[in-house]
Amino acid sequence: MNISILGTGFIARFYAETLVAQRRKDVVNMVYGRSPDKTKKFAEDYNVPNYTSNLKESISHPDVDAVIIALPNNMHLEAVLACAEAKKPVLCTKPLGRNGKEALAMLQAAEKAGIFAGYLEDLCYTPKFLKSLSSINNGAIGRVIWTKSRESHPGPHSDWFWDKEKAGGGAIIDLGCHCVEISRNFIGKDIRPVEVMCWADTCMHPIDAEDNAVGLVRYENGAIGQFEVSWSFRGGMDLRDEVMGTEGTIWTNNFLRTGFEMFSTGSGDAYVAEKSESNSGWLFPVGDEVHELGYNHMFTDMFDAIENSKQPLETFYDGYIVNAIIDAAYQSARTKKWEPVIIEDWRGTTEVNQHHAGTSYDENYYLIKEEILPSGEKKIILKNKKTGAIEKR
Amino acid sequence: MNISILGTGFIARFYAETLVAQRRKDVVNMVYGRSPDKTKKFAEDYNVPNYTSNLKESISHPDVDAVIIALPNNMHLEAVLACAEAKKPVLCTKPLGRNGKEALAMLQAAEKAGIFAGYLEDLCYTPKFLKSLSSINNGAIGRVIWTKSRESHPGPHSDWFWDKEKAGGGAIIDLGCHCVEISRNFIGKDIRPVEVMCWADTCMHPIDAEDNAVGLVRYENGAIGQFEVSWSFRGGMDLRDEVMGTEGTIWTNNFLRTGFEMFSTGSGDAYVAEKSESNSGWLFPVGDEVHELGYNHMFTDMFDAIENSKQPLETFYDGYIVNAIIDAAYQSARTKKWEPVIIEDWRGTTEVNQHHAGTSYDENYYLIKEEILPSGEKKIILKNKKTGAIEKR
Amino acid sequence: MNISILGTGFIARFYAETLVAQRRKDVVNMVYGRSPDKTKKFAEDYNVPNYTSNLKESISHPDVDAVIIALPNNMHLEAVLACAEAKKPVLCTKPLGRNGKEALAMLQAAEKAGIFAGYLEDLCYTPKFLKSLSSINNGAIGRVIWTKSRESHPGPHSDWFWDKEKAGGGAIIDLGCHCVEISRNFIGKDIRPVEVMCWADTCMHPIDAEDNAVGLVRYENGAIGQFEVSWSFRGGMDLRDEVMGTEGTIWTNNFLRTGFEMFSTGSGDAYVAEKSESNSGWLFPVGDEVHELGYNHMFTDMFDAIENSKQPLETFYDGYIVNAIIDAAYQSARTKKWEPVIIEDWRGTTEVNQHHAGTSYDENYYLIKEEILPSGEKKIILKNKKTGAIEKR
Amino acid sequence: MNISILGTGFIARFYAETLVAQRRKDVVNMVYGRSPDKTKKFAEDYNVPNYTSNLKESISHPDVDAVIIALPNNMHLEAVLACAEAKKPVLCTKPLGRNGKEALAMLQAAEKAGIFAGYLEDLCYTPKFLKSLSSINNGAIGRVIWTKSRESHPGPHSDWFWDKEKAGGGAIIDLGCHCVEISRNFIGKDIRPVEVMCWADTCMHPIDAEDNAVGLVRYENGAIGQFEVSWSFRGGMDLRDEVMGTEGTIWTNNFLRTGFEMFSTGSGDAYVAEKSESNSGWLFPVGDEVHELGYNHMFTDMFDAIENSKQPLETFYDGYIVNAIIDAAYQSARTKKWEPVIIEDWRGTTEVNQHHAGTSYDENYYLIKEEILPSGEKKIILKNKKTGAIEKR
């Protein structure tokens, strides 16, 4: 498949590195960038035969089979509309829009044009995530009660991220979009996100947007998806997820503690560890960053889906739901109360299983807890169904 | 010092085991329990010369120098009042009261009687906590922005915990009291807790109280103390703290990942790991539980303080503040908005340093970020002090 | 590139899974197996258009560009000779031979025929290994003093491994070949392995070969490469490497502790974690096994090398050196003393830098240690160059 | 109990800190040191009422109930003889002697005098060790096949350690004594250590003694106790143990990865982490060092044993066996072959269970392996009892 990449920055380079490595059969044969110099350099670095500073041309070129949008947030809508017009399959980086309204416009444009529209949410494609999800779907941890996804680091590389207008916000829109969609997958995409409570503050940087936030998203079945984001974390890139189920637990750590630990006095001149804040002391390098971040599996899913006329795991609709949740989060940070998630076009289930009422022990009692004491003795704690009294046996 | 322990349950036994071990010079010479049989057994197990089912007698006995309250939550107030009446130094287990009102009554009774009143918040005495706190106080991680304390396990051992009336609530009052005080120490006890946002739900057990909750406590300097509690966690006892500072990070894990890992096929009959949910597969035992939970250092601090007529690290006033914060958390869970922390008698500072306005780069710019790129090049992101525009150099 | 895979067992399936995934452009278009049924099944599972039970045919087929040998150890030589005869590029799984003599015959046959001959030592291609190696080469940990590589699990899947004659030995030849080559890379392939000391024993299984062994390989520059192997480890697959350098340390863990942790009560029926010994309790799944084991990067390097007429990172010569070292290990296990590594054709350096004599402090003293005491005081321990006396300042 | 401490250096201070903390009832009431100034300072720091530079006086003082030897290795014998003469209970730091001959002289002197003689092997008293040992004794991991104990750091604090004559060797005598006794406990003190294979080298420092070594100790039942020691490890203090049993595994990490992790930019002036090589970057502090190193439990066991006229867990006889093993290790490092452990007076068992011959499957077969394949199918690998052939079912 012949690919056009729109953008030449940090994320565009990550995408290109993924696509040109590991003897993949797909080819990057076009790159668009606003800066002619950077664009030319990008084309040289990744052996891209065509490059241009004309957006429409980079999309409509006859040798382009699919378009990857790797542009700043404020340019996504325009680029998607151009793809829709050109009837080209489009893959857009995260977040889809700066807000739900923009995301909805992109979704509707793509659907109206009938084009493939994939949402490049890489962290829903990391090997740990994919296996976690399949374990949950197989029932390994029971019913999901609560998930937490945390992404934090010392702040983004590119300047436009720090501009609230261009980015659509701060750490929530930048990092929270990952966290929200991770939780949503674990809880079930079919389950409606109902309301959001969020704290956000500017704790460290001289910026208008938030650099720290914590939010709780409540789903219709009672499950909670928690997100924690920060642009002021010290120590590298902290990407961790947790899931609590009624029958089990999942903990994943994608970056800082992955079984690769190095101590260096720093005497070697050349060594630089990615995203580490230093090159001496205890370091926690990442083996293969594009793999650890899910890019391999993401592009495989996307291109396979295009070829087989299927839906990818992550679609523009998912991107829209994420934006809708984030809109509610920002609203809640302002109003200081839970705010409803406003979804124009809910496509999931409307019949939700409520929380279990608890395990019945016998005709008269619910079982609260059964436990084996160190003495070997068995202890049972019950609740009387009629009186509500707690009893021990 | 001669000690009277009130209570013969799980926590009373933990306290006794701490006090009789490691050649400590203090002596448990009285135990009070409601059940004569259990009380006699307790006295035998720990070589306690006196035991009784008369509360006042267990306190006023002339050979008792200090009293440890290890009773269910609903009996703390009565026991404290009896100590006040008998003018005996009192150490009360956590939480101090079932709510702020009860805690305030205990605080006032103790102060009026002029007795020593220590709050047995053991998790503020674990070795990892104590060194974390001293590191923070030494400036090792800069200004504290955000702390998180998590305590979760499959639910308490004793039946009364599950009774909302006796306990004063569910997982928040049982586990959140630890988390709140841990965060409060890290942020600074002198800083006033202002308001609380809390989600609480009954996700798994057939009980009236909450078995899961997440809360955010906002302090006057802008710092956030987050708590996460659960009675439905699977996999053992999860006790973790995190602190984000402007210059560093702290992560502690007190139970499940402490450098002690065991795999067993389960063929050995006798082995039982504490609080583990099984005795086969990968297990994460704790070496010396009373030490890991802070009991050693806690009682040392308490008795040293009594002997030297000093304040211990954790006092009834601290217990009262914790209850006041938890009251606000319960209120917020009901109203679904941030609720103020109502403190009758604030003794901390009222002059708080607000958040830094950000680092000035030069006359015209604030510094947002400075970073060394993989190429070795230095990149600076600035904010124009006048226009607010973001610029890159 | 069109690939023929010889073999249909466990490792052949791993190789095929790597090659058909992630949109790779290479194609498995032939498979050879001794059992027609298994071979047909393999061809169906991986969409291989051609399959046969005729070894020579599977190699000489005109549409085959390169051959992957994934057969039991005792069939490697025959297969390599057939590739040499057919002048086809050959990639052979580990270990190359059952002993140095067989490996040398393969090396010589390939070189005489002038064919590409890659050694499929996957654990020298894992992302963690590759970055460790590049860090060492950049000087991040100084001069390498000692490396340790450990591979252990509860024993291999296929029956022929347990047959000493077919396999060429037990755990050493099966697992030690990985460990030896890992250490050799870290110490430097250019440095001659001089002698080996090895303990080996049959501790658990009713077999003739060893199921446990520890060996030390001494290199000409004084560095030690330690290997630890076991077929009786309980708890999963333990793959860990350590490197001690004069300026740093590397620790990698490829399987059991990679930041992916799951607890399950086992209530979900379908879940099975690879190589775990159970599907309940704490489990440590692997995200993407072929990636974690280095297969992706290995085949990429191999095919790129064939296309560009270059040497891959791991060659038949490397395989031969590994076999020569293992021969010495088996000899040492018998004689109970250090045994020389016999290499027919040493191609590395013969001029080796000896150990540093230590840092000179001044004209009269060597510096042993310089340290900052908790008091802030600086302490220096010196050795008098003439008298050898140790002095403190 | 009234204690005299002989020595005022690093280890003496650790001992004193343990004894004066946590409200212990024992009292340090005498200290002996060669340097009057340091001795006086020590007495002041720990509130010791008596101090002297006269060795005999410090022992024979009527108020001294027991003596702790915390002197350099070359002074242990003299001090023990003085305790024997004075008929005072003696506790000697590790290693007991510089070699087996010295240790035997101490053992015999103590036994002849009939005094209590405890061996201060603290790492056999850490909480993790004690619980590991009890788990092994309860059968949790089956028969022990192999243990490994590793102790390494950047080199000792005091100058005399670096003097081969005073210390009795280098890293082996200093660190290996811990490792040997740890393994011996896990394998069973009753099992005779038979022979040792050891590599030792001076890899980094300008000293005569070894700064790196690896040794294998073979016990009569076939179990192997491996030790790894280094004075050139970078990154802090690495104390790890591993045990492989037929039914399980134990991994402990006493220092560098204990669930306490801190990142600091280093901006706080005052912070110093113990044994860390820096005060910035990722740091792994230890909560309560004396506890983590086993001193609490060690002194409790020792003084309880004296009071109850029992043997402590670690005796002079244990110290002697450790020295005998280390003697064989040094001999092996010279001769480059396995060397026998020469024990004058073996007090353990002489009837040893040999390795199991393997599990019988039925009349005709041994069971090699039984495994559930991912397909759910069960696979059995057998060995024919008569022919030795390996078969699969």
Side-chain angles (χ1 to χ4, degrees), chain C residues 92 94 119-125 177-178 181 298 314:
Chain C
C92 185
K94 45 62 50 181
Y119 178 49
L120 297 178
E121 176 41 86
D122 57 293
L123 294 185
C124 292
Y125 285 99
C177 63
H178 291 301
E181 186 64 354
M298 179 175 72
E314 293 290 320

Side-chain angles (χ1 to χ4, degrees), chain C residues 143 146 148 150 155 157 195 203 206 226 228 234 240 242 244 246 249 336 369 371 379 383, chain D residues 143 146 148 150 155 157 195 203 206 226 228 230 234 240 242 246 249 336 369 371 379 383:
Chain C
R143 173 170 55 88
W146 180 27
K148 178 168 54 176
R150 174 176 176 83
H157 299 286
E195 55 184 356
C203 297
Q226 179 174 334
E228 297 180 7
R234 307 309 296 258
R240 282 177 292 161
E242 300 188 16
M244 278 180 48
T246 51
T249 299
K336 302 191 76 170
K369 201 187 182 196
E371 121 182 79
K379 185 162 136 191
K383 182 182 175 180
Chain D
R143 172 170 56 89
W146 180 26
K148 176 169 55 175
R150 174 175 177 84
H157 300 286
E195 55 183 355
C203 299
Q226 177 174 336
E228 296 179 8
S230 176
R234 307 309 296 258
R240 283 178 291 162
E242 300 187 16
T246 51
T249 300
K336 303 189 76 170
K369 201 185 182 198
E371 117 182 83
K379 183 161 137 191
K383 180 181 176 182

Side-chain angles (χ1 to χ4, degrees), chain A residues 88-104:
Chain A
K88 289 284 173 83
V90 60
L91 288 64
C92 184
T93 193
K94 42 66 47 183
L96 186 56
R98 286 177 292 180
N99 50 55
K101 195 180 154 198
E102 270 195 0
L104 187 61

Side-chain angles (χ1 to χ4, degrees), chain D residues 121-142:
Chain D
E121 176 40 85
D122 57 292
L123 293 185
C124 293
Y125 285 98
T126 70
K128 287 170 186 167
F129 173 89
L130 291 173
K131 185 158 286 186
S132 296
L133 185 58
S134 103
S135 298
I136 291 171
N137 291 342
N138 285 340
I141 66 164

Side-chain angles (χ1 to χ4, degrees), chain A residues 131, chain C residues 14 236 255 271-277 284-289:
Chain A
K131 186 160 286 187
Chain C
F14 255 123
F255 249 69
Y271 182 78
V272 176
E274 303 118 323
K275 301 206 187 276
S276 157
E277 296 201 43
F284 299 89
V286 171
D288 178 348
E289 205 169 351

Side-chain angles (χ1 to χ4, degrees), chain C residues 143 145-146 148 150 154-159 162-163 195 197 199 201-208 212 214 216 222 224 226 228 230 232-234 238 240 242 244-249 251 256-257 336-338 355 357-358 366-369 371 379 381 383 390 392, chain D residues 143 145-146 148 150 154-159 162-163 195 197 199 201-208 212 214 216 222 224 226 228 230 232-234 238 240 242 244-249 251 256-257 336-338 355 357-358 366-369 371 379 381 383 390 392:
Chain C
R143 173 170 55 88
I145 288 176
W146 180 27
K148 178 168 54 176
R150 174 176 176 83
H157 299 286
S158 299
D159 49 330
W162 300 92
D163 184 324
E195 55 184 356
M197 165 64 212
W199 162 80
D201 201 355
T202 311
C203 297
M204 192 172 167
H205 298 95
I207 55 171
D208 301 322
N212 277 278
V214 180
L216 302 175
I224 289 288
Q226 179 174 334
E228 297 180 7
S230 176
S232 60
F233 176 75
R234 307 309 296 258
D238 183 21
R240 282 177 292 161
E242 300 188 16
M244 278 180 48
T246 51
E247 302 292 337
T249 299
W251 291 344
L256 277 174
R257 298 291 184 275
K336 302 191 76 170
K337 54 183 188 179
W338 287 85
H355 279 162
Y366 292 115
L367 177 63
I368 292 182
K369 201 187 182 196
E371 121 182 79
K379 185 162 136 191
I381 300 176
K383 182 182 175 180
I390 309 295
K392 172 179 59 179
Chain D
R143 172 170 56 89
I145 288 176
W146 180 26
K148 176 169 55 175
R150 174 175 177 84
H157 300 286
S158 299
D159 49 331
W162 301 92
D163 183 324
E195 55 183 355
M197 165 64 213
W199 161 80
D201 201 354
T202 311
C203 299
M204 191 171 167
H205 299 95
I207 56 172
D208 301 322
N212 277 278
V214 180
L216 301 175
I224 289 287
Q226 177 174 336
E228 296 179 8
S230 176
S232 60
F233 176 76
R234 307 309 296 258
D238 183 21
R240 283 178 291 162
E242 300 187 16
M244 278 180 48
T246 51
E247 302 292 337
T249 300
W251 291 345
L256 277 174
R257 298 293 184 274
K336 303 189 76 170
K337 55 182 191 181
W338 287 85
H355 279 161
Y366 292 115
L367 177 64
I368 291 182
K369 201 185 182 198
E371 117 182 83
K379 183 161 137 191
I381 300 176
K383 180 181 176 182
I390 308 295
K392 173 178 60 178

Side-chain angles (χ1 to χ4, degrees), chain B residues 172-189:
Chain B
I172 296 177
I173 192 82
D174 177 30
L175 307 177
C177 63
H178 290 301
C179 303
V180 162
E181 186 63 355
I182 287 169
S183 288
R184 206 181 141 239
N185 270 280
F186 289 153
I187 290 169
K189 285 187 177 181

